[in-house]
């Protein structure tokens, strides 16, 4: 029986454990200790810091794994590349794992690889920040290079804001540098893909519903992309260039993009499936279990067979539930009756929990996933579904 190590054991990785079990694959949950559901779902457990490549390698050897993967978080991507390269497993290289988890190295690779992206400057001090601000056009982004979920990332319209947010960014990052980057005024979008032995098995652009915090933060995704007929070819070209520039291969791909004046700019790319319901989006659109495809890829079990048939191209939409104010959850009510077009309504909170004003993905309250005959039908239906959900939060 093959054995798969899954980095992360939270609710986001739980579907990977279920997909592996359906394929008759034994799983090893690797995560720091805690009440994580993945430990109960796995056949074996390893209390391991997944941000530490050497620790993950030691655990992989101890458990005698045949593959290693993750989804929805960046923390273990570098370790996956490190382990795959040293144990000869299917997956990204150590170099690609490093580049795709450091936004500075990523942007340098983009520039060398001809990827259309924003101008950026690496900053290690306030004096370097001042020099960078004299060279860049406002607005700018001050960006931590090693965090996900929009943490440590701030839009700045003035030098004063840039100085203030630089301090906050450096307090959040684990690096001694960050990026100052020009902010591209356009429409953000995403793209999920999978690459196997140098071939893109699929490339699926999606619309992003953005929450306006310090920077636009995704709180929802939908397909098909509204400008798909016009920009699909250019999106695929830019994603392919970014994949090649960063050296990504044999991995799912999550890519953030911006469209401005019908041109596509790559913001960042990484070698794992995205969060905020993106694997579910891919599954519904293609009529497959995308988590199974991720498992198959990690174990060299022909993931390409899942994308061979003509897909149903099923429109769908996801929405993350958020709060505009902090406080305690007093009451949750959902009066939506079961319906074929409601794939999921679930909550990450319970009465009595403390919640924060939404700033990034860690502050989510729950999620909604819908399907429909058209994207417009999904958008209309979302309003109806939201009207029957009530979350009461008291200060």
């Amino acid at each position: 029986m093959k054995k798969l190590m899954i980095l992360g054991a939270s609710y986001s990785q739980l579907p990977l454990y279920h997909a592996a079990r359906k394929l008759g694959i034994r799983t090893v949950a690797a995560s720091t200790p805690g009440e994580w559901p993945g430990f109960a779902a796995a056949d074996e457990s390893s209390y391991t810091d997944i941000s530490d490549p050497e620790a993950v390698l030691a655990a992989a050897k101890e458990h005698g794994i045949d593959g290693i993967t993750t989804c929805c978080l960046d923390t273990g991507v570098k370790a996956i590349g490190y382990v795959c390269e040293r144990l000869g497993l299917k997956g990204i290289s150590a170099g690609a794992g490093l580049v795709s988890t450091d936004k500075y190295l990523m942007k340098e690779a983009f520039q060398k690889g001809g990827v259309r992206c924003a101008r950026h400057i690496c900053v290690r001090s306030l004096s370097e920040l001042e020099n960078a601000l004299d060279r860049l056009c406002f607005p700018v982004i001050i960006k931590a290079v090693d965090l996900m979920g929009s943490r440590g990332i701030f839009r700045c319209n003035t030098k004063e804001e840039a100085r203030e947010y630089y301090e906050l960014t450096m307090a959040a990052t684990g690096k001694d540098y960050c990026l100052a980057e020009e902010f591209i005024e356009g429409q953000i979008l995403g793209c999920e893909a999978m690459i196997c032995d140098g071939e893109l098995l699929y490339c699926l652009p999606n619309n992003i519903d953005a929450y306006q915090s310090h920077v636009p933060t995704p709180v929802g995704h939908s397909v098909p992309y509204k400008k798909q007929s016009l920009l699909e070819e250019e999106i695929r070209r830019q994603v392919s260039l970014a994949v090649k520039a960063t050296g990504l291969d044999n991995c799912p791909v999550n890519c953030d993009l911006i469209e401005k004046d019908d041109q596509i700019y790559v913001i960042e790319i990484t070698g794992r499936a995205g969060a905020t319901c993106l694997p579910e989006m891919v599954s519904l659109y293609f009529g497959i279990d995308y988590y199974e495809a991720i498992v198959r890829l990690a174990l060299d079990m022909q993931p390409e067979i899942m994308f061979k048939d003509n897909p149903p191209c099923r429109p769908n939409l996801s929405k993350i539930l958020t709060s505009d104010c902090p406080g305690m959850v007093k009451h949750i009510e959902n009066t939506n009756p079961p319906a074929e077009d409601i794939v999921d309504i679930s909550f990450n909170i319970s009465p009595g929990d403390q919640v924060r004003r939404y700033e990034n993905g860690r502050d989510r309250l729950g999620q909604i996933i819908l399907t429909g005959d058209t994207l417009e039908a999904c958008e209309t239906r979302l309003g109806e579904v939201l009207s029957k959900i009530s979350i009461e939060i008291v200060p």
Side-chain angles (χ1 to χ4, degrees):
M1 180 183 290
K2 289 190 174 184
K3 187 183 291 188
L4 177 69
M5 176 172 278
I6 296 173
L7 302 190
S10 76
Y11 69 89
S12 296
Q13 291 79 51
L14 203 54
L16 280 178
Y17 293 95
H18 297 326
R21 183 176 294 275
K22 287 179 183 178
L23 290 171
I25 293 161
R26 193 169 179 84
T27 55
V28 181
S31 180
T32 51
E35 296 295 324
W36 305 114
F39 287 136
D43 298 292
E44 302 173 26
S45 295
S46 175
Y47 296 135
T48 303
D49 178 0
I50 64 173
S51 69
D52 183 343
E54 284 290 353
V56 176
L57 177 62
K61 289 179 177 178
E62 178 185 350
H63 288 270
I65 67 169
D66 301 291
I68 182 170
T69 193
T70 191
C71 67
C72 306
L73 83 168
D74 289 333
T75 312
V77 172
K78 185 164 63 173
I80 289 174
Y82 189 80
V83 170
C84 286
E85 191 164 292
R86 279 154 181 77
L87 298 186
L89 304 178
K90 189 87 167 186
I92 62 174
S93 67
L98 178 63
V99 170
S100 68
T101 53
D102 185 312
K103 295 177 178 65
Y104 170 59
L105 299 178
M106 186 188 303
K107 286 297 177 73
E108 292 291 290
F110 285 172
Q111 281 197 331
K112 292 177 183 177
V115 180
R116 188 183 294 120
C117 61
R119 291 179 61 207
H120 69 280
I121 297 173
C122 184
V123 173
R124 289 181 169 83
S125 66
L126 280 171
S127 62
E128 289 189 1
L129 175 64
E130 293 292 339
N131 290 334
L133 296 177
D134 287 338
R135 296 164 58 189
L136 298 174
C137 296
F138 279 90
V140 300
I141 297 289
I142 302 300
K143 179 183 290 187
V145 302
D146 58 338
L147 301 176
M148 64 175 289
S150 301
R151 290 179 293 127
I153 302 178
F154 302 93
R155 172 178 169 159
C156 310
N157 295 312
T158 66
K159 286 188 175 182
E160 290 72 23
E161 287 183 348
R163 296 185 196 105
E164 175 187 352
Y165 287 130
Y166 170 77
E167 299 290 353
L168 293 176
T169 296
M170 295 308 295
T173 183
K175 301 288 187 178
D176 64 353
Y177 54 88
C178 67
L179 286 182
E181 178 180 297
E182 290 183 349
F183 181 80
I184 299 171
E185 300 275 5
Q187 180 66 45
I188 64 172
L189 65 143
C191 186
E192 293 296 297
M194 178 175 278
I195 185 164
C196 180
D197 296 329
E199 177 188 357
L200 275 179
L201 302 186
Y202 81 94
C203 185
L204 182 61
N206 60 85
N207 312 291
I208 291 180
D209 176 14
Y211 182 92
Q212 297 302 319
S213 182
H214 299 295
V215 291
T217 303
V219 292
H221 299 270
S222 62
V223 284
Y225 176 54
K226 292 179 179 179
K227 288 190 173 183
Q228 188 147 321
S229 59
L230 176 65
L231 295 175
E232 182 177 18
E233 184 176 333
E234 176 61 9
I235 291 169
R236 188 180 184 93
R237 189 176 81 85
Q238 289 298 327
V239 170
S240 296
L241 284 172
V243 164
K244 183 177 180 181
T246 53
L248 291 173
D249 198 2
N250 296 315
C251 61
V253 173
N254 171 250
C255 191
D256 293 331
L257 310 163
I258 285 184
E259 178 265 321
K260 180 180 180 181
D261 299 329
D262 293 336
Q263 287 194 313
I264 296 297
Y265 296 79
V266 180
I267 304 305
E268 58 187 66
I269 193 169
T270 190
R272 48 87 177 163
T276 57
C277 308
L278 284 167
E280 287 76 15
M281 179 195 77
V282 177
S283 295
L284 289 167
Y285 190 78
F286 288 108
I288 63 171
D289 181 348
Y290 188 46
Y291 292 102
E292 178 184 330
I294 296 170
V295 170
R296 285 182 174 275
L297 179 60
L299 292 169
D300 202 10
M301 294 173 59
Q302 297 182 298
E304 63 274 11
I305 64 174
M306 301 186 71
F307 299 93
K308 290 298 185 184
D309 296 332
N310 292 326
C313 300
R314 190 178 179 190
N316 65 85
L317 173 153
S318 62
K319 175 72 173 181
I320 300 302
L321 302 176
T322 64
S323 174
D324 291 328
C325 59
M328 184 188 75
V329 179
K330 183 176 180 180
H331 179 71
I332 302 172
E333 184 176 51
N334 170 30
T335 59
N336 285 283
E340 289 187 1
D341 61 349
I342 299 178
V343 178
D344 181 52
I345 298 177
S346 56
F347 302 95
N348 301 109
I349 53 170
S350 301
D353 288 350
Q354 292 289 328
V355 299
R356 303 196 316 159
R357 178 182 182 275
Y358 188 84
E359 290 188 359
N360 57 60
R362 291 183 172 183
D363 303 324
R364 56 182 285 159
L365 307 184
Q367 66 184 33
I368 299 169
I369 304 176
L370 306 173
T371 62
D373 293 332
T374 64
L375 178 56
E376 292 75 16
C378 292
E379 292 172 333
T380 299
R381 182 71 164 124
L382 177 62
E384 299 171 357
V385 171
L386 284 170
S387 71
K388 297 179 181 179
I389 295 174
S390 174
I391 302 175
E392 184 179 357
I393 297 173
V394 296

